[in-house]
Amino acid sequence: MEKKTRKDYGAAGLLPLLIFLVLYVGCLAVFTIKGAKDPSSYMPRQVAILVALLFALIFFEPRAKFAKKMNIYLNNAGNAGVMNLSLIVMMAGGFSSAVTISGGQSSIVNLGTSLIPSQFLVPGIFLIAAIISLCIGTSTGTIVTMAPVTFSLVAAAHLNAGMAGAAVITGSYFGDGLSMIGGTTISAAAGVGARMRDKFLWQIKIAVPAAVITIFIYTLMSLNNSSASNIHAGSYNIITILPYLVVLILAVMGMDVVLVLALGTVMASAIGMALGKASLFACAKAIGNGMESMFWLAIFAMMVNGMVALMRHYGGIDWMVHVFTRHIKSKASCEALIGILSFCVTGAIVNNNISVLITSPIAKELGDQYQVDKKVLAGVISIFAVTASMVIPQDSAMMMTLQLAGKSTNYLDLIRYMVYPVVLMGLTFIVNYINAKRSAA
């Protein structure tokens, strides 16, 4: 009965989302132009989404009981999918911190650096960053770890700073949208109802060839570079890297991610204590800090999911799906449109995790209508979200890289050498088009 009596606001039902984007992105742009030190801190994303949520609750259906609208919000903000997502992202933060305190993060960087021939440092930087990001599931952690090493190598070996910077940024995002413990993967899979294992196996068939082509191109570009001969990697311990490998293998085998992360965290902590790197309580504190660092994503996911439910109730999501559907002629165009939408939303809000949370419900509606496989939906959303993050100037990875690079490079120089996102998007369009044609035949 509710669906028959509720008022359909059409495009106006999307006003809460518009308010969030104006507040968050608008303030970010203004303070960035003003040269503020931390432009994103002036209008925190949590405050922006809270204002948008309150607008959705108060100004729509003013004659309806407020409790009725709150029930719509609460039933969706706290649904099983969101609760599962919240637990997983917090456990992923705890796992990452446990491995770091045990020495695993520094070991995997030093191991990779020691295995790369000096004349191929730029493609090597991309490869190492890709492997690390796949293991730890975050571009931020990879950039924090790899960027200082990268620009130390740039200075020592007289490498092309723009090429090296582009390699570390794009390599860091390789695993961000692919890793089984990455927030983007978790959010995309949960948002459209796909199994993370299926999404991973579909996406890796595109991401790995794109990475191989990128390494080949970087190798060709680097052939004329003279390499430094006295570059020594730091020490590493293979044992401390084992939790990364165990987590990756068990996740690919299909074990529940909660169990995978629990085993990985216990293993990393045990290794750290056995090697004398941390006590039991130091490990517990590190795990707690890692979980705490992910609280914002868990809470934000709840608020976004509840707000999206309200926008759907007011007719906004249906209107958007209808508008997009008018331009969709086939399964291939549906997949392409979802990718473009994910790219645009990420570029607007400068956070691929948040954009995935916003895009997933819309993608699921379109995917259900055109019978797009859920693993393809999740993969396309992830691919285009991280691709946008690689190239936007206000992304944290880009800003951190430019800060560490100093005067050795600039944004336009980095963009010149952004090979991976171009190849990745191109392959995704080609693969989806071919698959759609085969399924239609």
Side-chain angles (χ1 to χ4, degrees):
M1 181 66 67
E2 177 189 329
K3 291 185 179 179
K4 294 181 180 179
T5 58
R6 68 176 174 84
K7 181 176 179 180
D8 189 341
Y9 287 87
L14 295 174
L15 278 175
L17 176 59
L18 180 61
I19 289 172
F20 167 70
L21 293 175
V22 169
L23 286 176
Y24 182 54
V25 180
C27 290
L28 178 63
V30 169
F31 287 106
T32 299
I33 293 171
K34 288 185 175 182
K37 185 176 181 180
D38 187 5
S40 62
S41 65
Y42 290 88
M43 177 54 69
R45 58 179 73 91
Q46 297 92 329
V47 176
I49 197 70
L50 178 60
V51 173
L53 176 59
L54 290 174
F55 180 87
L57 288 168
I58 295 171
F59 293 99
F60 287 88
E61 295 188 353
R63 295 183 180 180
K65 290 184 179 180
F66 187 78
K68 172 189 170 184
K69 293 181 282 187
M70 276 298 297
N71 282 335
I72 296 172
Y73 167 77
L74 293 172
N75 289 335
N76 288 273
N79 65 31
V82 176
M83 291 297 100
N84 185 54
L85 168 64
S86 300
L87 177 61
I88 290 172
V89 295
M90 286 191 291
M91 290 186 69
F95 168 73
S96 179
S97 294
V99 178
T100 299
I101 199 173
S102 70
Q105 193 171 71
S106 59
S107 285
I108 199 169
V109 171
N110 293 333
L111 172 62
T113 305
S114 68
L115 295 176
I116 305 299
S118 57
Q119 65 267 33
F120 299 118
L121 281 173
V122 171
I125 287 168
F126 174 85
L127 179 61
I128 296 170
I131 294 172
I132 294 172
S133 64
L134 183 63
C135 290
I136 69 177
T138 168
S139 58
T140 302
T142 308
I143 284 286
V144 169
T145 306
M146 279 297 298
V149 176
T150 296
F151 289 102
S152 294
L153 295 176
V154 166
H158 305 290
L159 302 176
N160 183 313
M163 192 190 306
V168 75
I169 291 173
T170 55
S172 297
Y173 273 109
F174 172 87
D176 193 291
L178 185 63
S179 173
M180 298 285 279
I181 61 172
T184 304
T185 287
I186 295 168
S187 300
V192 300
R195 294 180 61 199
M196 285 200 292
R197 177 177 178 272
D198 294 340
K199 183 257 187 192
F200 174 84
L201 293 176
W202 178 85
Q203 190 174 337
I204 201 170
K205 295 175 184 178
I206 297 175
V208 169
V212 171
I213 293 172
T214 300
I215 291 171
F216 177 72
I217 294 174
Y218 278 146
T219 300
L220 292 179
M221 292 179 175
S222 303
L223 286 178
N224 294 327
N225 288 348
S226 59
S227 304
S229 57
N230 298 319
I231 299 177
H232 302 286
S235 61
Y236 58 87
N237 188 334
I238 295 294
I239 295 176
T240 62
I241 301 174
L242 290 179
Y244 287 135
L245 300 178
V246 169
V247 164
L248 183 61
I249 292 170
L250 292 179
V252 173
M253 289 174 61
M255 181 180 285
D256 190 280
V257 179
V258 171
L259 293 177
V260 170
L261 290 172
L263 290 172
T265 303
V266 171
M267 185 178 183
S269 301
I271 290 173
M273 288 185 285
L275 295 177
K277 292 181 177 293
S279 66
L280 173 63
F281 293 108
C283 289
K285 183 178 180 181
I287 294 169
N289 290 337
M291 293 178 67
E292 187 176 347
S293 70
M294 301 299 283
F295 282 168
W296 75 267
L297 181 56
I299 300 300
F300 194 88
M302 297 177 197
M303 298 177 75
V304 167
N305 214 61
M307 189 181 77
V308 169
L310 287 169
M311 292 193 299
R312 180 180 290 108
H313 175 74
Y314 300 143
I317 300 296
D318 290 340
W319 177 85
M320 178 178 285
V321 171
H322 174 69
V323 169
F324 279 118
T325 302
R326 288 188 304 180
H327 301 284
I328 296 176
K329 305 299 182 183
S330 64
K331 180 186 290 188
S333 62
C334 177
E335 294 168 359
L337 182 63
I338 289 170
I340 294 170
L341 177 65
S342 179
F343 185 96
C344 292
V345 174
T346 304
I349 66 177
V350 203
N351 188 299
N352 51 309
N353 283 320
I354 299 173
S355 76
V356 166
L357 292 171
I358 293 172
T359 306
S360 293
I362 302 169
K364 189 174 186 304
E365 296 275 357
L366 292 172
D368 288 344
Q369 183 171 348
Y370 284 87
Q371 298 181 330
V372 179
D373 195 317
K374 288 182 171 58
K375 67 187 177 187
V376 177
L377 285 176
V380 169
I381 292 170
S382 293
I383 286 172
F384 282 86
V386 297
T387 299
S389 295
M390 292 180 209
V391 299
I392 54 179
Q394 64 270 40
D395 180 72
S396 58
M398 180 69 75
M399 291 190 291
M400 191 181 306
T401 301
L402 288 171
Q403 182 177 356
L404 289 169
K407 297 181 179 180
S408 63
T409 190
N410 56 59
Y411 171 71
L412 293 179
D413 204 25
L414 290 174
I415 289 296
R416 285 178 55 203
Y417 296 101
M418 290 283 182
V419 177
Y420 180 64
V422 176
V423 177
L424 182 63
M425 284 196 298
L427 285 182
T428 303
F429 279 126
I430 292 171
V431 168
N432 284 346
Y433 179 79
I434 293 174
N435 289 341
K437 287 296 182 183
R438 285 177 178 173
S439 63

